[in-house]
Amino acid sequence: MTSIASATTLQDLDTNLRAKIDVLQVCADLRGGWAEDTVGEVEQQARELEALKKDIALYRSTIASARQELSSSCALLKQMQQLSLRLLHIKEYMPQRVPRPAPQQQKTRSKKSPSEEDAAPISQPKPQPPAKPAVQKSKRLPTVEFVTMEEFNSVPKYIRGRIQYAQVNTAVEEVNKALEAKYTLLSRPRAKLSEMSMKIVSECRRQVNEETKGLFFVVDNDIKRWSSLKMDTAGKSLLTMLRTLKRLREVRGPGSLVRYAVLV
């Protein structure tokens, strides 16, 4: 390996080249001119310089490629950091319970193969009993839908106050619990109700009027009785939020009675 090839820095390369030039110059002075072997040494130096130029060009190309890859990696890292922040945000504000649509039950009838149908004995059709009148199915109980983060942020600050996003969806769960408990009790046969339950049912039926026809609603006593939501200032603010977000509608009267009806 020549001294030029073994150089590790440009300063070492410059030093080695200058040393060789000085040696050549001394040789030329001592020999009285440029002999054939001196010319060969100079040509060797020229070849080494040419090889060095190629190496430098290769190094520059490698550095440019590395810079491009570094820039792409930085952009990818920024995207990953933004995605990580979004996932952390979703994890922090994900409701504990998300309503799911009730699965539809499909009745399947087993079909016989053609050979089984041929082998089956032919029987006379039996007289069918008179059809019973169709029983009207009970109307499905609606529920208050959970609030999205975009809806929560759309509420004016003077209404939202210090209420947190998770508190709103917790209030939704509690109102749904009160709704389910109330209308489950109202749907029970009278013979299966205790004296206390009968008083509650009578109280609930007295709250129905022409304005609430077809609506499902709860009042303050229902929420206190069947949920853990406190009807204090904070609880009232949460119900106001749900009314602003078109989840509930207030039906007032007579007197101070306020009904919170579900909007569907």
Side-chain angles (χ1 to χ4, degrees), residues 11-28:
Q11 186 176 1
D12 293 342
L13 180 63
D14 179 70
T15 302
N16 292 335
L17 287 174
R18 290 181 182 277
K20 286 204 171 190
I21 292 172
D22 292 340
V23 171
L24 289 174
Q25 187 63 44
V26 171
C27 291

Side-chain angles (χ1 to χ4, degrees), residues 183-218:
Y183 286 94
T184 299
L185 178 63
L186 291 176
S187 64
R188 292 177 60 185
R190 182 166 183 167
K192 295 184 178 181
L193 295 177
S194 64
E195 183 178 354
M196 180 62 68
S197 297
M198 277 298 302
K199 290 182 180 180
I200 297 174
V201 169
S202 299
E203 178 186 347
C204 293
R205 297 195 186 282
R206 286 196 299 269
Q207 297 162 358
V208 179
N209 57 18
E210 287 295 326
E211 194 174 353
T212 63
K213 188 176 181 180
L215 297 179
F216 292 85
F217 64 89
V218 291

Side-chain angles (χ1 to χ4, degrees), residues 173-185:
E173 292 180 350
E174 297 304 319
V175 172
N176 285 334
K177 283 167 59 177
L179 277 166
E180 183 179 1
K182 173 182 177 179
Y183 286 94
T184 299
L185 178 63

